[in-house]
């Protein structure tokens, strides 16, 4: 019966948050506080369900892990430098306040993480996941997720056994893992296999003294690159989201925030514009246009769900006072609510701030740059999907000079196949040419 109260509270608060155009996560945290306030008995099932949800989360991150995407300068340079600067700044603040320096550094790294759930949802809703800024944002989020797992292992304390080195040999089992993936033809069996391997990776890692989260991530990376890996990640997404509700309820039920917790949370939210501004400047520094840099920075201007997890591990290790767990719960909820509102009007906000932000743009060549000339083009086709490609073919038959424009590079193969001259943009950029230049376009990106 207690579990029914939990589900009802989570659903009601999540629905209310959704009606207010806020992420359901905000409602789940509020439901946890409500359950604590009304002294609803604690269920022994909450903690195990939360642990399974966390391991599935890390397993799905591993499924999307592509080291080539992390090595791009926009991802590794911007994401890595931002992480270092935020961590160093927080560490210096803790040192100045005579607080625990180690805890401050770990907390700073946690504050540098952005919400994967919100950013992906914002990009999906705007059909921008495959655009240049969408791919860069996703790459930085994956980089942050990988660092977060390492942070969990570091903050968890404890010395791993020498048997932990065997985990490094897991990639040798990839051919066998791929064959096993192919044997499971039904979707239900693939889903069951994913859950099994996620939990097995966590159990194996714990047995050798490593955090279960790291084991789940490493096990997910074992299947990364398989043609059906994305399908498995999509299947696990809904199950993982349901189980993570237990984690968010657990955060709220740890206790109502005190006045000082609320004050610290508000202060952290007020620092978010600095985080967004730092992302913007770093994006512009590596050559992105002001619009792309602004939209990407706004999508990343949140605190991550991982910050809730890492702050709990840090406080459990005694590196920070217990109040920081409650503080991060409030700060993450407020940041998601604010980001959900701002990202809905990101392009309008940029239009207002465009004269100021354009001053920060740098020169030089980059795939995001504006085309200087469109040659003898008579017609410009925006969107090179099926309709755009057909329109191009019709104009070409009539001898009219046309140029196709698309926000994603995935339209290029269609353009090349149809003999079209294409240009990729968000909403405009530099990669223009004829179909004969298709190999050059592909190699330049």
């Amino acid at each position: 019966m207690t579990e029914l109260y939990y589900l009802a509270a989570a659903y009601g608060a999540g629905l209310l948050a959704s009606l207010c155009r806020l992420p359901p996560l905000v409602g789940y945290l509020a439901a946890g506080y409500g359950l604590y306030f009304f002294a609803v008995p604690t269920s022994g099932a909450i903690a195990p369900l939360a642990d399974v949800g966390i391991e599935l989360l890390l397993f799905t991150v591993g499924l999307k892990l592509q080291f080539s995407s992390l090595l791009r300068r926009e991802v590794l340079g911007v994401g890595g430098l931002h992480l270092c600067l935020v961590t160093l700044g927080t560490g210096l603040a803790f040192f100045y306040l005579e607080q625990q320096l180690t805890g401050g550094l770990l907390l700073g790294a946690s504050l540098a993480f952005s919400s994967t759930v919100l950013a992906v949802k914002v990009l999906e809703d705007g059909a921008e996941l495959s655009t240049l800024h969408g791919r860069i944002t996703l790459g930085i989020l994956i980089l942050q997720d990988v660092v977060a797992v390492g942070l969990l292992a570091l903050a968890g304390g404890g010395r791993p056994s020498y048997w932990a080195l065997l985990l490094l040999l897991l990639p040798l089992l990839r051919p066998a893992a791929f064959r096993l993936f192919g044997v499971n033809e039904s979707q239900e069996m693939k889903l069951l296999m994913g859950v099994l391997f996620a939990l097995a990776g966590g159990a194996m890692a714990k047995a050798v003294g490593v955090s279960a989260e790291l084991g789940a991530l490493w096990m997910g990376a074992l299947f990364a690159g398989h043609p059906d890996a994305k399908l498995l990640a999509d299947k696990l997404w809904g199950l993982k989201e349901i189980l993570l509700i237990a984690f968010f309820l657990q955060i709220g039920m740890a206790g109502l925030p005190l006045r000082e917790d609320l004050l610290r949370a508000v202060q952290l939210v007020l620092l978010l514009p600095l985080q967004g501004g730092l992302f913007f400047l770093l994006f512009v520094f590596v050559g992105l246009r002001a619009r792309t840099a602004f939209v990407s920075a706004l999508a990343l201007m949140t605190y991550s769900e991982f910050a809730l997890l890492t702050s709990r591990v840090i406080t459990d290790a005694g590196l920070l006072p217990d109040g920081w767990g409650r503080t991060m719960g409030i700060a993450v909820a407020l940041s998601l609510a604010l980001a959900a509102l701002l990202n809905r009007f990101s392009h309008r906000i940029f239009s207002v701030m465009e004269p100021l932000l354009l001053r920060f743009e740098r020169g030089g060549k980059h795939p995001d740059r504006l085309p200087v000339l469109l040659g003898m083009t008579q017609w410009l086709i925006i969107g090179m999907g099926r309709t755009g490609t057909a329109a191009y073919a019709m104009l070409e038959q009539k001898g009219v000079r046309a140029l196709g424009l698309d926000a994603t590079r995935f339209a290029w193969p269609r353009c090349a196949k149809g003999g079209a001259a294409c240009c990729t943009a968000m909403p405009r950029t530099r990669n223009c040419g004829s179909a004969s230049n298709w190999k050059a376009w592909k190699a330049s990106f």
Side-chain angles (χ1 to χ4, degrees), residues 99-425:
Q99 301 288 327
Q100 289 177 287
L101 181 59
T102 304
L105 290 171
L106 294 174
L107 179 67
S110 302
L111 293 174
F113 303 147
S114 304
S115 171
T116 302
V117 174
L118 182 74
V120 170
K121 179 173 175 53
V122 166
L123 293 170
E124 278 184 336
D125 290 346
E128 297 175 345
L129 259 180
S130 57
T131 62
L132 177 65
H133 74 276
R135 297 193 304 274
I136 292 173
T137 301
L138 190 59
I140 290 177
L141 290 169
I142 294 175
L143 175 65
Q144 291 177 347
D145 291 347
V146 173
V147 174
V149 177
L151 187 63
L152 290 172
L154 179 63
R159 183 177 179 179
S161 70
Y162 292 111
W163 292 103
L165 296 174
L166 292 177
L167 293 176
L168 299 177
L169 301 179
L170 276 178
L172 298 178
L173 300 176
R174 174 169 286 193
F178 276 31
R179 289 194 190 97
L180 181 61
F181 212 139
V183 169
N184 295 282
E185 296 182 356
S186 67
Q187 301 301 324
E188 293 81 2
M189 290 302 298
K190 288 181 179 179
L191 178 62
L192 182 59
M193 183 197 70
V195 175
L196 172 64
F197 275 87
L199 299 184
M204 232 170 24
K206 288 177 69 176
V208 295
V210 180
S211 70
E213 292 82 7
L214 184 59
L217 175 97
W218 202 237
M219 190 64 78
L222 185 65
F223 294 94
H226 191 278
D228 289 335
K230 185 180 183 302
L231 178 63
L232 177 58
D234 293 340
K235 288 285 185 182
L236 287 171
W237 181 269
L239 179 61
K240 167 194 61 106
E241 290 295 295
I242 291 294
L243 293 173
L244 281 177
I245 294 175
F247 172 69
F248 297 128
L249 290 176
Q250 197 177 38
I251 294 294
M253 293 189 67
L256 292 173
L258 305 176
R259 181 179 179 182
E260 60 180 14
D261 299 331
L262 290 171
L263 181 60
R264 278 199 302 250
V266 171
Q267 290 172 340
L268 289 176
V269 172
L270 291 177
L271 291 175
L272 275 175
L274 294 179
Q275 177 158 303
L278 179 58
F279 267 124
F280 173 79
L281 293 176
L282 291 173
F283 279 132
V284 170
F285 180 75
V286 297
L288 297 186
R289 287 191 302 133
R291 177 184 289 273
T292 306
F294 179 80
V295 174
S296 301
L298 201 59
L300 293 168
M301 200 179 74
T302 57
Y303 293 127
S304 173
E305 304 84 1
F306 267 117
L308 297 177
L309 182 57
T310 53
S311 62
R312 186 185 69 173
V313 174
I314 294 170
T315 54
D316 289 345
L319 299 175
L320 285 176
D322 291 337
W324 274 102
R326 296 189 296 269
T327 296
M328 289 308 303
I330 296 295
V332 169
L334 291 177
S335 73
L336 293 177
L338 179 64
L341 177 64
L342 293 177
N343 279 279
R344 203 181 311 156
F345 305 103
S346 58
H347 294 286
R348 295 185 188 179
I349 296 173
F350 176 80
S351 298
V352 174
M353 302 179 64
E354 186 173 7
L356 173 63
L357 298 177
L358 287 178
R359 299 178 184 178
F360 294 93
E361 281 192 356
R362 303 179 66 203
K365 294 183 178 180
H366 190 275
D368 188 41
R369 286 291 162 196
L370 292 165
V372 178
L373 295 172
L374 295 181
M376 301 295 291
T377 300
Q378 296 173 287
W379 285 85
L380 183 63
I381 303 174
I382 301 177
M384 291 300 292
R386 294 180 181 178
T387 304
T389 305
Y392 184 95
M394 181 195 69
L395 292 172
E396 187 181 45
Q397 290 176 356
K398 294 184 176 181
V400 177
R401 295 179 182 271
L403 177 68
L405 184 69
D406 202 279
T408 168
R409 65 172 180 166
F410 299 113
W412 293 355
R414 291 194 300 269
C415 298
K417 185 177 180 180
C422 273
C423 181
T424 180

